[in-house]
Amino acid sequence: MFRHTSLLQFEAKPEKPDALYARKLQELIGGAYGEMTVTMQYLFQGWNCRVEGKYKDLIMDTATEEIGHVEMLATMVARLLEGAPATTMAEAVKDPATAAILGGMDPQQAIISGGGATPSDSQGYPWNGRYVIASGNLLADFRANVAAEAQGRLQTARLYNMTDDPGVKAMLQFNLARDTVHQRQWLAAIEELKADGLESDIAPTALFDEENQEHNNTIWHLSDGPDGNKGGWTTGPEGIEYLMDPQALGGPGVAPPPDPALFATAEPSLGEPGGATSVTSEAGKTKK
């Protein structure tokens, strides 16, 4: 059960409207690393979690907070758009494309959402559920969460430097702080998974005896850059061997003959092992 409280987690009041910045903020709502993504990511991770107790509670606490972040940003967008839809749409009567550019807003914010936020990114692309990572493996998921919070904080930091509005900056300062602590909590939770014996460094903790033992401790030098083998990952007890001149282990990557019904273009020699392709003429005679 979820219960909505009619109070924002932190204030979202700009000093003045700014339709262009409202469009930029849409990235933090519906972008690949926006608040809608982490909201749904954490919710599904929590709902799918098979470890009752501290891990599930942490996931659900954070998921519910992220719902509030979507609300904060949507409120800020609506307030930044104050007065913009009417003026922009008045100009749109003359020239819709020019009005959208001069107004700076996503036209859908006026046409579809009536001067409010939309579930989309800064280019108006709809939010996509494929952004969500919820595998059921807590180690893999928590690592994905660290990355999501890092990308979200990076984008928030960039947007922070794109505005001088003190009200907007105050809200983003709060968001930056929450992205910081969320990165820290997922990193700490990863270490606790290991301490509790639930996971180790590699996800998943399985099939180590089944994997190809010859190739589980090598890095292949496959770029022009010469310094990859100078990193710390090649030293110490867990050092990974750097193969400076790796060789291909497989044969030519030749696709099999296509199904004739698919009408894929192919060389005639692909039809038969001997090299010739059987063709049936209109007279029904088979020739080579």
Side-chain angles (χ1 to χ4, degrees):
M1 180 178 71
F2 289 87
R3 179 175 294 166
H4 179 259
T5 299
S6 298
L7 296 170
L8 298 177
Q9 186 182 15
F10 191 86
E11 194 54 84
K13 284 186 178 180
E15 187 174 86
K16 60 183 178 180
D18 185 339
L20 176 58
Y21 196 78
R23 180 171 186 170
K24 294 177 180 178
L25 272 188
Q26 283 286 158
E27 194 65 34
L28 299 186
I29 295 177
Y33 298 103
E35 302 290 0
M36 287 184 64
T37 294
V38 289
T39 293
M40 299 308 296
Q41 181 156 309
Y42 300 162
L43 283 173
F44 276 92
Q45 287 179 8
W47 291 329
N48 294 340
C49 182
R50 267 62 170 189
V51 184
E52 295 294 331
K54 60 184 178 182
Y55 294 112
K56 184 166 186 174
D57 290 351
L58 175 66
I59 298 169
M60 293 305 298
D61 283 342
T62 313
T64 309
E65 177 182 355
E66 301 294 4
I67 299 174
H69 291 183
V70 177
E71 183 178 29
M72 286 166 51
L73 285 162
T75 301
M76 179 65 82
V77 165
R79 290 170 174 174
L80 286 167
L81 288 172
E82 184 178 356
T87 57
T88 302
M89 295 308 290
E91 287 295 321
V93 174
K94 306 173 186 176
D95 185 348
T98 302
I101 295 171
L102 292 178
M105 67 190 299
D106 183 342
Q108 291 188 348
Q109 290 173 331
I111 299 168
I112 295 176
S113 60
T118 62
S120 57
D121 65 14
S122 54
Q123 293 300 310
Y125 184 81
W127 181 81
N128 193 322
R130 291 188 179 273
Y131 300 151
V132 169
I133 296 174
S135 70
N137 181 287
L138 292 184
L139 177 61
D141 284 350
F142 288 176
R143 284 177 173 165
N145 295 352
V146 175
E149 294 287 351
Q151 292 290 344
R153 192 177 193 280
L154 175 62
Q155 294 179 1
T156 301
R158 288 171 174 166
L159 281 162
Y160 181 79
N161 287 327
M162 293 180 187
T163 181
D164 294 323
D165 190 300
V168 176
K169 291 182 86 74
M171 186 196 73
L172 294 182
Q173 287 169 343
F174 176 82
N175 288 8
L176 287 167
R178 300 311 296 165
D179 289 341
T180 295
V181 74
H182 289 166
Q183 288 186 58
R184 291 174 56 203
Q185 76 181 40
W186 297 128
L187 289 168
I190 288 170
E191 295 306 312
E192 190 137 345
L193 282 171
K194 299 176 188 178
D196 288 344
L198 295 175
E199 297 290 343
S200 64
D201 288 332
I202 305 299
T205 309
L207 302 178
F208 292 124
D209 293 335
E210 299 290 330
E211 67 189 24
N212 189 315
Q213 301 297 310
E214 185 180 352
H215 300 288
N216 63 6
N217 196 47
T218 57
I219 298 173
W220 289 29
H221 173 61
L222 295 172
S223 71
D224 290 338
D227 296 330
N229 63 338
K230 298 177 182 177
W233 42 85
T234 63
T235 61
E238 305 248 342
I240 304 174
E241 180 185 1
Y242 219 96
L243 300 181
M244 294 305 294
D245 187 27
Q247 300 299 312
L249 302 177
V254 179
D259 183 336
L262 297 180
F263 306 106
T265 304
E267 294 183 15
S269 61
L270 289 178
E272 293 183 353
T277 302
S278 295
V279 179
T280 301
S281 67
E282 292 182 2
K285 297 180 180 179
T286 299
K287 59 183 180 180
K288 299 231 178 161

